[in-house]
Amino acid sequence: MHNKKLFWAVIALFPLAAFSLFIGVANISLESFLAGDEHTLSILFGSRLPRLLAICLAGAGLSVAGLIMQQVCQNRFAAPSTTGTIDCAMLGYVLGIVFFAGANRWISLGVILTFALVGTLVFVQFLQRLQFKNAVLVPLIGIMYGNVISAMTTFIAYRYDLVQTMSAWTVANFASVLQGNYEFLYLALPACLVAYYFASQFSAASVGESFAKNIGLDYQKIVFIGVLIVAILASTVVMIVGVIPFLGLIVPNLVAIFMGDNMRRNLPWTAYWGVVMVLACDILGRLIIFPYEMPISMIISIFGGAIFIALVLKDKSNA
């Protein structure tokens, strides 16, 4: 019975994916696709399929990033959006535009990745020195830390007349994804595989530095690897799509509620349900005010905010 439920859960992704391919202002149909219509094929392979792949990669990547952050920070409310990772990536994005305008996109990604990595390491090192690690206190400190970084980013954006560009990127939207401009998101695949390989070590690190050292692990090395993976996943999403809030926080927690705390077992399911959530929210955003689109970040903020509040209340009631 359990395997049957898992089977139907996996199968549920395919109708959503197929539905996503045929939703949009440009009207295409399965009949025209099967008939080999040139206009249909151009839209499908130039826009709709890249958008679907970007949704899958971004959803899986950010969800796995959230799972890793929760292990590294030893806090179930840690995520790229509550530990300053996304804000640091945005700072790197703006500085990349200022100082490396017109440069190779790999250089831009490198700048974003560097700021996300360094900024997250600073926060994690601060947490390691914090004696009082209340479950709700950690994300609150992370949000305040992110707000300070965000204020710096806004100041630089005002200074160099980039406020409109920055504002557009703080609201994630897959509408601009086309063939040729989303491929950096494929970095999520090797990053998730490396995360799965180190899953047991991350779980050991989540117990504490003393425990990790007692079983022969280099605690700081494992933390650095985890933060590096998180930075890669967050940076690629910020660079290609924009900021998707709450995803890395709520998906790992919901998976843990139903499947327990075994990271190696949960990681594939965290990636899968991250894809399902982003895909469902993207479809909803395209249908609510059709033929216009509502940015996916607004949809996820509504659902994610409600789930986050529920998780906090649940944590308080169990305390």
Side-chain angles (χ1 to χ4, degrees):
M1 180 63 71
H2 181 65
N3 290 334
K4 188 175 180 180
K5 289 181 179 179
L6 293 180
F7 172 78
W8 284 112
V10 173
I11 291 297
L13 176 63
F14 294 98
L16 285 174
F19 193 37
S20 175
L21 290 175
F22 293 96
I23 298 176
V25 177
N27 187 23
I28 63 175
S29 63
L30 182 61
E31 291 78 9
S32 60
F33 169 71
L34 294 175
D37 179 70
E38 186 176 342
H39 177 67
T40 298
L41 293 177
S42 176
I43 294 174
L44 195 62
F45 291 105
S47 174
R48 302 285 174 81
L49 187 59
R51 179 175 185 148
L52 176 61
L53 292 173
I55 288 170
C56 294
L57 293 168
L62 279 184
S63 298
V64 170
L67 179 61
I68 296 171
M69 282 305 299
Q70 289 169 17
Q71 303 297 312
V72 169
C73 295
Q74 303 169 38
N75 187 284
R76 61 196 298 257
F77 295 131
S81 57
T82 60
T83 55
T85 305
I86 297 293
D87 301 282
C88 291
M90 280 300 301
L91 176 60
Y93 172 76
V94 171
L95 288 176
I97 295 175
V98 172
F99 295 106
F100 300 97
N104 186 287
R105 297 189 77 197
W106 281 102
I107 294 177
S108 299
L109 178 61
V111 174
I112 297 171
L113 174 60
T114 300
F115 275 85
L117 176 61
V118 173
T120 308
L121 282 174
V122 168
F123 181 76
V124 171
Q125 291 298 319
F126 172 75
L127 282 188
Q128 290 177 1
R129 288 164 173 75
L130 187 67
Q131 298 299 318
F132 181 66
K133 295 185 179 180
N134 179 273
V136 179
L137 181 64
V138 170
L140 287 178
I141 294 174
I143 291 171
M144 288 188 291
Y145 171 67
N147 285 339
V148 172
I149 302 297
S150 180
M152 294 171 55
T153 306
T154 304
F155 173 78
I156 295 170
Y158 270 110
R159 174 68 178 77
Y160 292 96
D161 196 23
L162 293 170
V163 176
Q164 188 172 359
T165 302
M166 186 193 73
S167 298
W169 234 248
T170 57
V171 181
N173 196 337
F174 288 95
S176 61
V177 173
L178 298 170
Q179 186 178 23
N181 75 347
Y182 78 99
E183 282 76 9
F184 277 127
L185 288 173
Y186 281 111
L187 290 173
L189 296 177
C192 288
L193 290 175
V194 173
Y196 186 78
Y197 176 80
F198 284 99
S200 298
Q201 288 92 320
F202 292 145
S203 295
S206 70
V207 178
E209 184 173 0
S210 299
F211 176 80
K213 289 182 175 179
N214 286 338
I215 62 174
L217 288 180
D218 187 336
Y219 178 78
Q220 294 300 334
K221 177 183 175 182
I222 295 301
V223 168
F224 178 80
I225 292 172
V227 171
L228 178 60
I229 295 171
V230 170
I232 291 172
L233 294 172
S235 299
T236 52
V237 173
V238 166
M239 181 178 177
I240 304 301
V241 180
V243 178
I244 303 178
F246 289 113
L247 185 66
L249 190 153
I250 60 176
V251 174
N253 275 287
L254 292 176
V255 172
I257 289 173
F258 293 100
M259 301 193 66
D261 295 321
N262 187 316
M263 182 178 175
R264 183 175 289 275
R265 182 182 61 189
N266 287 4
L267 193 146
W269 287 106
T270 299
Y272 171 78
W273 286 111
V275 171
V276 171
M277 176 167 286
V278 175
L279 186 55
C281 289
D282 181 69
I283 291 174
L284 185 60
R286 283 191 265 177
L287 292 177
I288 289 177
I289 52 175
F290 186 84
Y292 305 103
E293 286 192 27
M294 182 176 291
I296 187 173
S297 57
M298 295 178 65
I299 305 293
I300 291 185
S301 292
I302 295 171
F303 289 109
I307 294 173
F308 176 59
I309 292 171
L311 290 171
V312 171
L313 293 176
K314 181 176 181 293
D315 185 76
K316 284 292 184 181
S317 65
N318 291 336

